[in-house]
Amino acid sequence: MRIEAVTGDITTQQVDAIVNAANRALLGGGGVDGAIHRAAGPELLAACKALRRTELPGGLDVGHAIETPGFDLPARWVIHTVGPNRHAGQNDPRLLRDAFASSLELAVRLGCRSIALPAVSAGAFGWSMEDVARIAVDQARQLEARAAAPQAVVALELIRFVLASPRALTTFERELSRTAPSSNPQTR
C-alpha cells in the first residue's frame, strides 16, 4: 500500500473514491464540500437529499461516513464524512480519528483500490494541521498494517492526502516520514 501527500484539487483526482469533508446536513457548503458538490454536478445534491429523506433524516453524525456515486467527478464514489468542529466544542481527537477511520473502512467495503482524502476538520473547523496530519496518517498506517496481515482482504493500494497549501503538504510529509515503516522504503 502506498500512502502519499500532494497539493492539488481533490475533485480532479483519478482515484476510486474521494472523501468529502461534509457538514452534518450533507447539502453542500464551503471549502472542499462546496468544490466537490460543484464538480460532481446537481445529481450529488439530489443523492444527498435522498439520503436525508431515507437513511439520515437527522443528518450524518460526526465521525461517520456514507457514500454516494461520484457523478461528474473522475472518482466513482464520494465518501462523505463529518469531522469535529472545534469551534462548536467538539475537541475530542477520537471524533477526528473516527472520521478518517470510517472513511477508509467504507472505501475498503466498497472495494476501492485508491482513495483521496482532504485535511478533514482543518481550516474552518478549527483543528490544527499538525493534529489533523498526525491522526490522519495514523489511521492510514493502521489500515496499511492490517492490509499486510496474512489473509487480509484489503484491496486498497493507494491512500492519497490531497492538500490545498504547501504548508499543509509539508506538515503531512513530515508526519509521513516520521511514521514510515522501515521495512518498506517505497511507502512514504
Side-chain angles (χ1 to χ4, degrees), residues 8 19 22 24 36-38 43 50 53 75 85 92 100 127 153 180 186:
V19 173
R24 187 171 165 75
I36 289 172
H37 273 266
R38 284 188 299 277
E43 295 89 356
R53 280 192 307 274
N85 185 339
D92 187 344
F100 283 105
W127 283 76
V153 290
Q186 292 182 339

Side-chain angles (χ1 to χ4, degrees), residues 2 4 35 38-39 42 59 62 64 94 111 119 123 132 135 139 155 161 187:
R2 191 170 84 232
E4 64 185 21
R38 284 188 299 277
V62 173
H64 292 223
R94 290 178 294 190
V132 171
I135 291 168
Q139 290 309 299
F161 295 104
T187 303

Side-chain angles (χ1 to χ4, degrees), residues 70-84:
F71 299 106
D72 292 341
L73 294 163
R76 178 175 180 201
W77 300 104
V78 175
I79 295 175
H80 307 268
T81 191
V82 180

Side-chain angles (χ1 to χ4, degrees), residues 5-20:
V6 300
T7 55
D9 180 349
I10 198 163
T11 68
T12 63
Q13 298 299 304
Q14 300 286 326
V15 292
D16 294 326
I18 63 171
V19 173
N20 180 17

Side-chain angles (χ1 to χ4, degrees), residues 69-124:
F71 299 106
D72 292 341
L73 294 163
R76 178 175 180 201
W77 300 104
V78 175
I79 295 175
H80 307 268
T81 191
V82 180
N85 185 339
R86 273 196 181 273
H87 304 303
Q90 297 167 340
N91 301 322
D92 187 344
R94 290 178 294 190
L95 293 171
L96 186 55
R97 179 201 65 210
D98 290 349
F100 283 105
S102 64
S103 297
L104 292 168
E105 288 298 325
L106 183 51
V108 169
R109 284 195 307 275
L110 292 169
C112 295
R113 292 192 172 284
S114 56
I115 186 172
L117 304 96
V120 174
S121 289

